[in-house]
Structure formats: C-alpha cells, structure tokens
Amino acid sequence: MSTTAAAAAADAAGAADAAAATGSPSVADRLEIQELVTRHALWMDERARTDPRLLFTEDVSVTTPAGPVQGIGPLVDRIHRHHPAEERAQHLLGNVLVDLDGDRAAVRALLHVTRIPRPDAEPLFLGGTYEYQAVRTAAGWRLSRLKMTPLWRTGPWPAHH
C-alpha cells in the first residue's frame, strides 16, 4: 500500500471512529445497511428460507406491483405464493445509496431481476428501483418499509404473479 493510500485509510478509519464516538452516522452503519439490502435480494432468490426477522421489522410495509402488504407473516406468504418452488430468480442490486439520519436511513438501489417460472418458460427480465426505509433496533438495522418500482420489462409476467 502506498504512503498516500495508507494515510487515506487511516484518515477514514479515524473518521469512522470519531463518528461512532459522537453518535453520528458511521461507515459501519452504511456497510451494515448495504449488507441488509443485499441479504434482502438473496432472501427473495431463496424464497424466504431464512428468518425474516433478521431483515425486517415485525410491521414492515411493502409495496410492489403485486400490491401492498403489511407485516412479516403476510410478506412471507406472498413470497411463497408469487415465487413457487420451481421458479428460478435472481435479484441483482447496484448503486446502493444510504442516507443516514440518526437511527433511521433512506436507501435507494437499482434492481435487475431475472425470473424463469418453469424450465420451459420464457424468462422475465425486469429493471427497477427499490426504495427502503431502515431503522436501528436493539438487534441492529432492520427494514421497515420497501417500495419496488418497475422501470422496464421484457418477457411475460409469470401466471402466478
């Protein structure tokens, strides 16, 4: 590592430590929130196999093209209904922006989804955005609100959607 790069890394680490000590937003908070939204995408791909309480507040509010849903139980039910076992899906996120405000954060991410409902079906490709609200809880950051807005699509919506 060059002297300049080492100095920049030390400055960044010092700034993060100072932010943590003063209670202001830290690099660690941003990284935890970015990981949280990445885990959300994987959770979708894996059809909600992991505990949703690791990602969401109990009263999470979700709005997608399939309509609104409130609470973890109804959200998991929707995932199982709209993403059957034979479906293959991949949710890719990019350009994740985190705007921290104390114990709350607004997050925006670009989304690219590929869904293949059945091995013999035409794939759906979808581009859009996710807008999240995250809150700091005793267990760490959790998603309290999520809105998915499609911007473009090719291929048919799956019949079960």
Side-chain angles (χ1 to χ4, degrees), residues 6-149:
D11 287 347
D17 290 342
T22 62
S24 63
S26 73
V27 172
D29 287 325
R30 289 181 190 283
L31 290 174
E32 185 177 344
I33 293 165
Q34 286 181 345
E35 183 172 324
L36 184 65
V37 300
T38 300
R39 289 187 183 283
H40 166 248
L42 292 172
W43 185 80
M44 295 285 295
D45 293 344
E46 295 170 353
R47 298 187 62 253
R49 284 195 301 236
T50 58
D51 185 354
R53 288 162 188 79
L54 298 173
L55 302 173
F56 304 104
T57 60
E58 288 290 332
D59 62 346
V60 65
S61 173
V62 176
T63 304
T64 70
V69 67
Q70 183 86 31
I72 286 179
L75 175 59
V76 171
D77 290 345
R78 173 182 286 175
I79 297 302
H80 290 164
R81 239 184 4 263
H82 289 228
H83 297 272
E86 66 273 9
E87 180 180 85
R88 298 297 170 252
Q90 187 175 49
H91 294 70
L92 301 175
L93 301 181
N95 296 356
V96 179
L97 297 175
V98 178
D99 291 318
L100 287 160
D101 184 13
D103 289 340
R104 298 191 161 288
V107 184
R108 181 177 163 92
L110 297 182
L111 169 68
H112 185 267
V113 179
T114 302
R115 291 177 64 181
I116 302 173
R118 298 174 322 280
D120 63 338
E122 181 180 353
L124 164 73
F125 300 100
L126 175 79
T129 60
Y130 272 136
E131 294 175 59
Y132 299 94
Q133 290 293 318
V135 295
R136 188 190 318 265
T137 71
W141 287 94
R142 296 296 184 265
L143 301 172
S144 61
R145 189 169 60 95
L146 157 56
K147 179 181 178 188
M148 189 280 217
T149 304

